[in-house]
Amino acid sequence: MIEAELKARVHSPETVMRALDDRATARTEVYQDTYYDRPGGSLEKAGQELRVRTVHGAEETRTVLTYKGTAVDEESGSKPEHETRVEDAEAVHAMLRGLGYTPFIAFEKRCRNYDLEERGRRMLATLVRVPEIDGTFLELETLADEDDLAAALNDVRAVLGELGLADGDLTRETYTGAVAAQRGSNP
């Protein structure tokens, strides 16, 4: 499956939050993300991602291991995604290091998540703040097969429009790149 996702800079977070609150119940969560790569950065150079994310929520703490392949849509950056929940975060970190992967950047994301049903699709809307970078972002995603990707992205774009976001608000900027730039390092 492909994560059909668009990300936008939000200029009026309160307005967007109210619009989302009218559609669904929010889940406030804090993500602790650690991105791994091979020595030499071959995953990043190929546009791939390997991440361990620990999610701290009101109800539970959970950890997921995620691999994202190379983008299949240049405009949106949508990528095939494979994700699984893991029982022991420290064991997964140790396994990745044992396999020769090294953590190249870690940071926190403060998220307000909304599970939506829009245009016949299950969507996840996430208002994001990363303490190390300026601004608020909205990620809106749905899963799609490759032959449905264009239609899925059109549906995502339409919902963003309903939330008051325009094409000019869209960004391909990555959190890893923005955090690395803020720290004065390469991701």
Side-chain angles (χ1 to χ4, degrees), residues 6 15 18 31 42 65 68 81 85 92 107 140 149 166 177:
L6 293 173
T15 302
R18 278 193 302 275
Y31 298 174
S42 63
L65 174 65
K68 293 185 182 188
E81 178 178 279
R85 190 171 180 157
V92 170
F107 56 90
L140 186 61
L149 181 59

Side-chain angles (χ1 to χ4, degrees), residues 8-51:
R9 283 192 166 275
V10 177
H11 303 289
S12 180
E14 297 79 18
T15 302
V16 172
M17 187 169 58
R18 278 193 302 275
L20 287 166
D21 285 339
D22 287 343
R23 293 172 183 240
T25 301
R27 271 185 340 273
T28 302
E29 298 175 320
V30 176
Y31 298 174
Q32 299 291 338
D33 287 352
T34 303
Y35 287 81
Y36 284 85
D37 206 336
R38 296 181 183 112
S42 63
L43 290 178
E44 183 195 5
K45 290 174 187 168
Q48 301 170 341
E49 301 173 37
L50 181 59
R51 178 186 69 214

Side-chain angles (χ1 to χ4, degrees), residues 1 6 22 61 65 83 86 113 123-125 136 139 145 147 165 181 184:
M1 294 298 277
L6 293 173
D22 287 343
T61 296
L65 174 65
E83 186 169 84
V86 297
N113 292 303
M123 294 187 184
L124 175 65
T136 299
E139 301 170 10
D145 292 320
D147 61 346
L165 298 162

